[in-house]
């Protein structure tokens, strides 16, 4: 059961990275620098993706050490 939790936490970390890079790669936001989607949404999604990644990596490390 612990191995499944480690795998799921690792997958969540990868998904966090994908969420973070999404507005800049495959789900591009508009190019106009004055628009809300460019000024606010893209950086917010990037920050949340990084937060998801960091928390998942920490959780994976903790689960790995408890194994």
């Amino acid at each position: 059961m612990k191995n499944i939790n480690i795998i799921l936490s690792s997958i969540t970390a990868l998904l966090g990275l994908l969420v973070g890079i999404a507005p800049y790669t495959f789900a591009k936001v508009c190019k106009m620098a004055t628009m809300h989607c460019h000024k606010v949404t893209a950086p917010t999604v990037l920050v949340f993706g990084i937060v998801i990644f960091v928390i998942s990596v920490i959780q994976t490390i903790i689960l790995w050490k408890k194994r």
Side-chain angles (χ1 to χ4, degrees), residues 13-66:
L14 288 174
L15 290 175
L17 282 178
L18 287 176
V19 165
I21 65 170
Y24 302 103
T25 55
F26 56 87
K28 294 187 184 229
V29 295
C30 63
K31 302 278 187 212
M32 294 181 62
T34 59
M35 296 297 289
H36 180 74
C37 58
H38 187 78
K39 289 172 71 174
V40 178
T41 305
T44 303
V45 172
L46 176 66
V47 168
F48 278 115
I50 291 171
V51 168
I52 291 169
F53 173 75
V54 169
I55 291 172
S56 297
V57 166
I58 291 170
Q59 181 182 5
T60 303
I61 291 170
I62 291 171
L63 289 171
W64 188 268
K65 286 184 179 181
K66 285 184 179 180

